[in-house]
Amino acid sequence: MILNEDYIHEDLKTSIIGKNLILLDSVNSTNNYARALIQQGFSEGVVIADSQTKGRGRFGKNWYSPPEMGVWMSVILPSMKNDNSFVNMSYISTLSVVEALNDTAKLKTEIKWPNDVLIKQRKIAGILSEVVKLNNEKSFVVSGIGVNINYEYEKFPPELREIATSLSIVTGSKFPREMIIASILNILEKNYSAALEHGTDYIFTEWMKRCTTIGRRIRVVQSEKYFEGTAESIKPDGRLLIRNSRNDIIEITPSDIIKVIEYI
Ligand code: BTN
């Protein structure tokens, strides 16, 4: 069953986000579509697709996005007035997904730096935020949100079966995707407005409460090399500080080219 726009509107309580709701049957990537809308003059909007043929994940990976299985959407918003807008929108989006899964399905998920949403060590959602700057200097953030909803175990491709999960696998129930979409957008607007009004400290604090990366032993795999260490702290600007066995601090940022970052 493809997505029903009326069902989304029934639960939507936003005043800005979601007024321009664009529902597509299939698209290469909702982030690409959102970028094109910004070029055409859109300054806010939400692009949602039932399936994506070239869904994009972080670090240049593919994001598997078949029909009926998940929420694949991109939220367009004007950049906040600081040069860390992309990191802040990632914090806001990830936190909003975590809160929405808790509100709708009573699911306690956790955040793995920089913006993976995990449950029982498996990934249930991911965020791909991108900045789009126009020639007139106006800047926007596209927050691409992917949440695995109605997958059964065998529906994942074999390489994802042991590392990914879905709402229906962990709860044993199917969920209307429209309800999850509305909940994410309602919470995202609340968090975005709070950040505009009071600054982003509150968002970062709430994000940190749900982030389980600090204190973990982690392995970071970059193009040809890798290193291991203990995650020591995360800074509001998105940097992760890792202490290695020689007691050196290694710093990585959300825009670094990383192949894999894993708990060990
Ligand atoms: C990641 O964890 O690697 C980020 C995944 C982001 C996937 C979403 S699905 C909707 C939007 N469109 C895309 O092509 N990617 C994001």
Side-chain angles (χ1 to χ4, degrees):
M1 202 174 59
I2 67 163
L3 289 154
N4 183 319
E5 185 167 352
D6 292 340
Y7 291 167
I8 300 176
H9 282 292
E10 270 173 26
D11 290 336
L12 204 60
K13 300 185 190 81
T14 55
S15 46
I16 334 161
I17 298 176
K19 291 297 142 197
N20 284 325
L21 211 59
I22 295 141
L23 257 76
L24 305 168
D25 191 5
S26 177
V27 68
N28 54 10
S29 153
T30 54
N31 268 35
N32 295 354
Y33 199 95
R35 294 177 81 98
L37 289 181
I38 293 170
Q39 301 292 345
Q40 289 164 28
F42 275 71
S43 52
E44 55 250 323
V46 182
V47 182
I48 308 170
D50 187 40
S51 67
Q52 300 182 115
T53 53
K54 285 205 168 112
R56 294 191 282 117
R58 299 184 68 248
F59 314 140
K61 290 186 186 157
N62 296 328
W63 183 263
Y64 191 63
S65 346
E68 300 185 27
M69 296 293 143
V71 168
W72 326 126
M73 71 174 170
S74 300
V75 180
I76 302 168
L77 283 168
S79 288
M80 280 179 272
K81 298 210 177 327
N82 60 41
D83 55 12
N84 205 21
S85 197
F86 134 82
V87 172
N88 288 327
M89 270 315 291
S90 300
Y91 286 143
I92 290 173
S93 305
T94 313
L95 180 63
S96 303
V97 169
V98 168
E99 292 182 347
L101 291 176
N102 189 33
D103 276 11
T104 52
K106 301 278 161 284
L107 215 62
K108 294 262 178 275
T109 53
E110 50 189 72
I111 298 170
K112 176 182 163 212
W113 185 93
N115 41 36
D116 287 352
V117 180
L118 307 184
I119 182 150
K120 295 182 184 150
Q121 312 281 350
R122 289 170 189 242
K123 183 156 165 174
I124 190 165
I127 313 293
L128 177 68
S129 295
E130 298 177 309
V131 174
V132 180
K133 279 204 173 76
L134 296 181
N135 293 338
N136 61 11
E137 294 300 304
K138 282 196 179 147
S139 169
F140 301 88
V141 182
V142 173
S143 240
I145 299 173
V147 191
N148 301 328
I149 309 281
N150 289 326
Y151 274 102
E152 285 146 24
Y153 179 79
E154 314 75 52
K155 293 272 168 63
F156 279 112
E159 68 276 15
L160 295 182
R161 283 185 194 156
E162 305 311 318
I163 53 174
T165 192
S166 74
L167 199 49
S168 62
I169 292 173
V170 286
T171 61
S173 317
K174 295 255 183 226
F175 279 81
R177 288 172 297 160
E178 293 84 349
M179 179 182 85
I180 311 282
I181 291 168
S183 174
I184 294 173
L185 296 178
N186 289 337
I187 296 172
L188 205 139
E189 179 162 299
K190 178 200 76 172
N191 285 333
Y192 180 71
S193 308
L196 287 181
E197 211 173 315
H198 309 296
T200 48
D201 292 0
Y202 162 80
I203 300 292
F204 179 64
T205 306
E206 290 301 306
W207 183 95
M208 277 298 282
K209 281 186 198 162
R210 290 151 178 96
C211 178
T212 53
T213 304
I214 301 299
R216 301 293 294 256
R217 293 273 310 153
I218 55 178
R219 179 182 298 123
V220 179
V221 184
Q222 291 174 309
S223 47
E224 292 309 318
K225 52 178 185 160
Y226 78 92
F227 62 89
E228 294 175 357
T230 304
E232 193 159 284
S233 67
I234 296 172
K235 303 293 173 195
D237 63 8
R239 281 173 300 143
L240 170 65
L241 273 46
I242 301 164
R243 191 174 290 278
N244 69 12
S245 53
R246 291 206 303 264
N247 223 16
D248 299 327
I249 289 283
I250 304 166
E251 205 178 277
I252 50 174
T253 75
S255 41
D256 283 345
I257 310 294
I258 295 167
K259 267 195 195 155
V260 181
I261 168 159
E262 58 191 352
Y263 293 157
I264 50 177

